[in-house]
């Protein structure tokens, strides 16, 4: 990540007052239409209909599962961030596959308050290369997705491939209760679909623009307010400079921060805060026609340990 960084004191002690204000989110409400009466169908028609329903349902299930593996997010229409019937507190009861959102013991994000320093220095092992990408408006965020597997991250001796990057506004992870202006998530997967996410917290405090957001800005503008719209990024995108290699980092075992909230995700949160301008943060808000936050509240740490690594 280009720009000036300010290192979080270790253990983290400072406070940062976010300028974010609560915003309302308009949720789509769909009514049901009564089916018109029709003559009894023939046996052949019934059989054909059942086959169609089975095939379509099976195909949809496969598509949903694959989307979950690749992106780790479900349709924005199915959940929200307000304190209402589809908000974070209710995610666990909205769908049976999402139960862990409510009863999981290793959920993300968290508030980082107590850390365990590691005696051995361990630089972040990234081998990123430029690659072809597409960018999509997912209704709740903008997602940059790689078409190839050029970029690798090694954690605990296991290699993960960078699949996609997306942004949350404001940040989901907090430091001593401090919430920052935005957070970038770099989502990686290994062949078994296990995930590792590298997170960079962003602040407008210094007023400096963020190089990544500057690069993505034209695409954000093209896709603003167009849910499910997607476009090709003409030039190869190189993420090799997106993370400050001199930064220490926090690491813990967590989960996806959106439904289905799958656990077993290795989180790495960089301890140096990246820069962003207010205009860039405002551009992240254009993902929906109604301005809305897309940050899940902090979850209980339970018996987990947050490790701190120097480099």
């Amino acid at each position: 990540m280009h720009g000036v960084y300010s290192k979080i004191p270790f253990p983290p002690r400072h406070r940062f007052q976010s300028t974010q204000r609560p915003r309302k989110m308009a949720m789509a409400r769909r009514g049901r239409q009564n089916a018109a009466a029709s003559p009894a169908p023939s046996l052949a028609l019934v059989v054909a209909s059942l086959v169609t329903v089975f095939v379509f349902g099976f195909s949809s299930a496969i598509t949903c599962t694959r989307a979950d593996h690749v992106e780790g997010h479900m349709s924005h229409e199915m959940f929200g961030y307000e304190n209402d019937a589809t908000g974070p507190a209710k995610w666990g009861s909205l769908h049976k596959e999402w139960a862990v959102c409510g009863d999981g013991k290793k959920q993300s994000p968290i508030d980082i308050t107590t850390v365990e320093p590691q005696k051995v220095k361990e630089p972040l092992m990234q081998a990123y290369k430029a690659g072809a990408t597409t960018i999509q408006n997912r209704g709740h965020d903008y997602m940059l997705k790689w078409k190839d597997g050029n970029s690798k991250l090694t954690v605990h001796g296991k290699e993960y491939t960078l699949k996609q990057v997306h942004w949350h506004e404001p940040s989901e992870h907090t430091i001593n209760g401090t919430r920052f202006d935005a957070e970038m998530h770099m989502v990686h997967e290994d062949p078994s679909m296990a995930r590792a996410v590298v997170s960079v917290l962003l602040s407008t405090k210094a007023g400096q623009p963020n190089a990544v957001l500057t690069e993505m800005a034209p695409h954000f503008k093209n896709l603003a307010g167009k849910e499910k719209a997607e476009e090709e990024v003409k030039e190869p995108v190189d993420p090799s400079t997106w993370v400050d290699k001199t930064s220490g980092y926090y690491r813990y075992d967590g989960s996806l921060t959106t439904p289905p909230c799958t656990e077993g995700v290795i989180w790495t949160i960089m301890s140096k805060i990246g820069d962003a301008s207010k205009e860039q943060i405002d551009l992240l808000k254009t993902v929906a026609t109604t301005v809305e936050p897309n940050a899940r509240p902090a979850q209980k740490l339970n018996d987990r340990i947050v490790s701190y690594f120097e480099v």
Side-chain angles (χ1 to χ4, degrees), residues 1 20 23 76 81 135-144 165-172 180-185 200-204 210-226 274-295:
M1 186 77 62
Q20 308 301 325
R23 293 177 293 274
H76 177 64
Y81 289 91
I135 190 163
Q136 180 183 7
N137 179 328
R138 295 193 294 183
H140 61 293
D141 65 14
Y142 291 112
M143 179 189 71
L144 180 71
V165 174
H166 62 271
W167 294 263
H168 291 268
E169 177 280 317
S171 72
E172 295 197 298
F180 299 88
D181 294 292
E183 182 172 350
M184 179 177 72
H185 290 170
V200 178
L201 301 168
L202 302 175
S203 169
T204 61
N210 178 278
V212 182
L213 294 179
T214 296
E215 186 178 0
M216 296 296 111
H219 303 288
F220 293 163
K221 292 176 181 178
N222 289 343
L223 300 174
K226 301 175 182 177
D275 287 324
S277 68
K278 183 180 182 304
E279 291 73 20
Q280 290 176 325
I281 300 301
D282 288 341
L283 196 54
L284 292 177
K285 301 174 185 178
T286 65
V287 65
T289 54
T290 301
V291 177
E292 59 190 43
N294 63 345

Side-chain angles (χ1 to χ4, degrees), residues 94-225:
L94 293 178
H95 200 283
K96 62 180 181 180
E97 276 77 20
W98 299 0
V100 71
C101 295
D103 57 25
K105 302 302 181 184
K106 295 183 177 182
Q107 289 291 290
S108 296
I110 61 170
D111 178 32
I112 300 173
T113 57
T114 304
V115 300
E116 183 174 283
Q118 301 302 296
K119 296 180 180 179
V120 179
K121 293 185 178 181
E122 186 177 325
L124 202 61
M125 298 179 66
Q126 295 172 308
Y128 291 165
K129 298 179 181 179
T133 61
T134 61
I135 190 163
Q136 180 183 7
N137 179 328
R138 295 193 294 183
H140 61 293
D141 65 14
Y142 291 112
M143 179 189 71
L144 180 71
K145 182 167 61 176
W146 271 265
K147 296 181 179 181
D148 48 40
N150 288 340
S151 296
K152 307 293 182 179
L153 171 73
T154 301
V155 182
H156 302 322
K158 183 186 292 186
E159 189 175 75
Y160 297 80
T161 299
L162 178 61
K163 293 293 186 178
Q164 54 103 333
V165 174
H166 62 271
W167 294 263
H168 291 268
E169 177 280 317
S171 72
E172 295 197 298
H173 287 89
T174 56
I175 307 293
N176 279 333
T178 295
R179 190 175 300 281
F180 299 88
D181 294 292
E183 182 172 350
M184 179 177 72
H185 290 170
M186 305 178 75
V187 183
H188 307 71
E189 290 182 354
D190 74 358
S192 71
M193 301 301 177
R195 299 182 182 92
V197 182
V198 174
S199 164
V200 178
L201 301 168
L202 302 175
S203 169
T204 61
K205 193 172 184 179
Q208 298 296 317
N210 178 278
V212 182
L213 294 179
T214 296
E215 186 178 0
M216 296 296 111
H219 303 288
F220 293 163
K221 292 176 181 178
N222 289 343
L223 300 174

